[in-house]
Amino acid sequence: MDERALIRSLVPVLGAAATADDCATIQHGGEWLVLSTDMLHETTDFPAGMTDREIGWMAAAVTISDIAAMGARPVALLLATGLDRPERLAGITAGALECCRFYGCDLAGGDTDAHTELTIVSTGLGTAVRPVRRSGARPGDLICVTGYLGGAQAALSGYDRFWERLIAPRPRVAAGLALNEAGATAMMDISDGLALTLHDMLAVNGCGFAVETARLPLPEGVPEGEGREFALYGGGDFELLFTVPPEHFPVTGVDATAIGLVVDEQDVTADGAPLPARGYMHLWKE
Amino acid sequence: MDERALIRSLVPVLGAAATADDCATIQHGGEWLVLSTDMLHETTDFPAGMTDREIGWMAAAVTISDIAAMGARPVALLLATGLDRPERLAGITAGALECCRFYGCDLAGGDTDAHTELTIVSTGLGTAVRPVRRSGARPGDLICVTGYLGGAQAALSGYDRFWERLIAPRPRVAAGLALNEAGATAMMDISDGLALTLHDMLAVNGCGFAVETARLPLPEGVPEGEGREFALYGGGDFELLFTVPPEHFPVTGVDATAIGLVVDEQDVTADGAPLPARGYMHLWKE
């Protein structure tokens, strides 16, 4: 069973709302609070060779990216750390703090525990007047992505100059806020590759997504075919995927590319052919 | 290094505020948000014989208890679950949901991951007009506890009729809210035994805590000496320890006992002798 199937199995218990967005949303004091939690552990989430400080940055960044994907402002982060060796805590905390400060977010607390394998759960709180959800895309909207795709996968595939891209993800907080302001209709981050992300969007929208691969912003210096494969199916980029009415694009100050169109037909296609829901996923042996 | 020493080591990095209370506190929209995260894992936190549903309840309860200890109202909970077997998620989620519903809290989302050992991190959000902190005790205040102490440790020591007390902790949410309203000056929950909890209070207050052991509310039917040992040093009770001016005690509707007095001298004593900071702690081998 993959992670998405497992989470879908909770819909009858929790309701669809609890599993439909990058963050849970709660109305409070005239605006919305958004909350997200991410569990990472050493063998599957942190590429070998990362320092504790880099691990701390990444743990904070993945959660801040979820907040960014709601068009929300990160406010506070908590870090629960299961430590194989207690001396790692200082480096991990320093890295998380650095990331939090970079995004104007308070590293407000946490918990520690002894663990056989380093395990970090970061939980973030953000605020938005109106969060941008995964649902909300409308036929005729442009499909767009920030930055470029496939860099993290390029690093994993041996293109060493993309190493920083892989280990030090830069959540698109400012872009998320600007896109919210500019009227983005749906948004999420692309942590597991474009194809899976489009299928996640498909699952909660009553329309479809038609992408033109020639428009994909690819990692520079990687052969085009390979770069396209990385962009579609590679994980770890943490760019934003969003839909927006054409008259509101481009958005001042946001580095983004239109890669396709929201269509009536409920399917994900690339160059007219169905795009498989394939990419980076947590898998359990069955 | 024990967990408290490890957390103290973060004070230079994060500042004392991030480690001083049961929850992080954030001002928002005219009131306070409180946030707490707790990491639990199977071998050290869940007594053998617990069902997945009970594990889910407990994971939610420990975090809701932290919110109760701030005199706050629990609003939302997120559950990050590292699963050794994916089929456990349904039971764990059902138990957490049951606990959340009991306390009027929304199980709002979460994350899942594969893990060699079952690991659950629950993160909770609560609200309070004014949170009650660990600091704030004043000489002359009564030291009080809700309910009774030592029941969970009694179960661990073979008194089977306390089993429910151990595996299904009941956070004192209503009591915490009432005590906040009534003017409690300091509060925290007693997850690791009374002695350690008093020392945690000592660390953030400019005064001391003098307890009379004859006043301790003990588990019924356990020999007195053993019961007192359980109450002082046993973990898992999740009652509230609080200080309150004598004129505001007792508080209507709150089952609580005065067990001593806040004093000028900065020390924790039991019957006039220093009470050691001993109890249930996570330990790393060094």
Side-chain angles (χ1 to χ4, degrees):
Chain A
M1 197 188 295
D2 69 53
E3 191 186 12
R4 282 172 167 77
L6 193 58
I7 290 172
R8 275 197 303 275
S9 74
L10 293 180
V11 170
V13 184
L14 296 181
T19 59
D21 281 305
D22 290 72
C23 292
T25 56
I26 298 136
Q27 265 190 306
H28 183 261
E31 60 178 359
W32 289 81
L33 305 175
V34 304
L35 273 176
S36 178
T37 192
D38 285 281
M39 176 176 276
L40 302 173
H41 52 136
E42 186 134 44
T43 49
T44 52
D45 293 296
F46 303 122
M50 284 179 72
T51 66
D52 288 342
R53 205 177 175 102
E54 289 163 350
I55 284 174
W57 174 288
M58 183 184 268
V62 297
T63 295
I64 290 174
S65 179
D66 285 330
I67 293 171
M70 306 294 292
R73 184 179 301 283
V75 171
L77 195 97
L78 303 181
L79 213 61
T81 312
L83 292 155
D84 52 343
R85 288 177 290 115
E87 60 270 25
R88 301 186 71 173
L89 185 60
I92 290 167
T93 305
L97 186 64
E98 199 178 355
C99 184
C100 284
R101 284 191 177 148
F102 187 85
Y103 290 101
C105 173
D106 185 22
L107 182 54
D111 191 20
T112 62
D113 207 346
H115 215 296
T116 47
E117 185 193 343
L118 179 69
T119 306
I120 307 182
V121 175
S122 66
T123 304
L125 171 76
T127 57
V129 174
R130 172 196 81 104
V132 185
R133 300 181 183 275
R134 291 186 185 177
S135 58
R138 287 174 304 210
D141 285 352
L142 296 175
I143 304 169
C144 307
V145 295
T146 59
Y148 71 95
L149 305 179
Q153 187 61 46
L156 284 170
S157 302
Y159 293 92
D160 291 343
R161 68 185 178 283
F162 293 101
W163 180 247
E164 276 293 314
R165 171 92 178 172
L166 173 67
I167 63 157
R170 296 292 178 122
R172 300 303 180 198
V173 172
L177 290 166
L179 291 167
N180 188 347
E181 187 74 20
T185 49
M187 188 151 62
M188 69 180 286
D189 72 348
I190 314 183
S191 52
D192 300 336
L194 181 62
L196 276 179
T197 308
L198 285 166
H199 277 274
D200 286 336
M201 286 281 229
L202 179 69
V204 292
N205 280 285
C207 46
F209 300 86
V211 165
E212 292 174 57
T213 60
R215 295 184 181 273
L216 295 178
L218 300 180
E220 259 178 58
V222 174
E224 200 183 324
E226 203 177 8
R228 194 171 298 151
E229 186 80 3
F230 295 164
L232 289 172
Y233 307 116
D237 274 314
F238 298 97
E239 296 290 352
L240 297 176
L241 171 70
F242 62 96
T243 58
V244 64
E247 62 271 26
H248 297 149
F249 188 82
V251 174
T252 310
V254 177
D255 167 27
T257 308
I259 61 168
L261 216 58
V262 179
V263 294
D264 284 313
E265 201 182 342
Q266 269 196 278
D267 200 1
V268 176
T269 60
D271 307 328
L275 183 68
R278 174 160 79 75
Y280 177 79
M281 290 195 284
H282 293 291
L283 286 172
W284 282 268
K285 292 194 191 81
E286 286 185 291
Chain B
M1 198 189 296
D2 69 54
E3 191 184 12
R4 282 172 168 76
L6 193 58
I7 290 171
R8 275 197 304 275
S9 75
L10 293 180
V11 170
V13 184
L14 296 182
T19 58
D21 281 304
D22 291 73
C23 293
T25 56
I26 298 134
Q27 265 190 304
H28 182 262
E31 60 178 0
W32 290 81
L33 305 176
V34 304
L35 273 177
S36 178
T37 192
D38 285 281
M39 177 176 276
L40 302 173
H41 51 134
E42 186 133 43
T43 50
T44 53
D45 293 296
F46 303 121
M50 284 179 73
T51 66
D52 287 343
R53 205 176 175 103
E54 288 162 352
I55 284 174
W57 174 289
M58 183 185 267
V62 298
T63 294
I64 291 174
S65 180
D66 284 330
I67 293 171
M70 306 294 292
R73 185 179 300 284
V75 171
L77 195 98
L78 303 181
L79 213 61
T81 311
L83 293 156
D84 53 343
R85 288 178 289 117
E87 59 271 25
R88 300 187 70 174
L89 185 62
I92 290 166
T93 305
L97 187 63
E98 199 179 356
C99 184
C100 284
R101 284 191 177 150
F102 187 84
Y103 290 101
C105 174
D106 185 23
L107 183 54
D111 191 20
T112 62
D113 206 348
H115 215 296
T116 47
E117 185 194 342
L118 179 68
T119 305
I120 308 181
V121 175
S122 66
T123 304
L125 171 76
T127 58
V129 174
R130 171 196 81 103
V132 185
R133 299 182 184 274
R134 291 185 185 177
S135 58
R138 288 174 302 210
D141 285 352
L142 296 175
I143 304 169
C144 307
V145 295
T146 58
Y148 70 95
L149 305 178
Q153 187 60 47
L156 285 170
S157 302
Y159 293 92
D160 291 343
R161 67 183 178 284
F162 293 102
W163 180 247
E164 275 294 313
R165 172 90 177 175
L166 173 66
I167 63 158
R170 295 295 177 121
R172 300 303 180 198
V173 173
L177 291 166
L179 291 167
N180 188 347
E181 187 75 20
T185 50
M187 189 152 62
M188 69 180 288
D189 72 347
I190 313 183
S191 51
D192 299 338
L194 181 62
L196 276 179
T197 308
L198 285 166
H199 277 275
D200 286 337
M201 286 281 229
L202 179 69
V204 293
N205 280 283
C207 45
F209 300 85
V211 165
E212 292 174 57
T213 59
R215 295 185 181 273
L216 295 177
L218 301 179
E220 259 179 58
V222 174
E224 200 183 322
E226 203 178 8
R228 195 171 297 151
E229 187 79 5
F230 294 164
L232 288 172
Y233 306 116
D237 274 315
F238 297 97
E239 296 291 352
L240 298 175
L241 171 70
F242 63 96
T243 58
V244 63
E247 63 271 25
H248 296 149
F249 188 81
V251 174
T252 310
V254 177
D255 167 28
T257 308
I259 61 168
L261 217 57
V262 179
V263 295
D264 284 313
E265 201 183 344
Q266 269 196 280
D267 200 1
V268 175
T269 61
D271 308 328
L275 182 69
R278 173 160 78 76
Y280 177 80
M281 289 194 285
H282 293 290
L283 287 172
W284 281 269
K285 291 192 192 83
E286 284 185 292

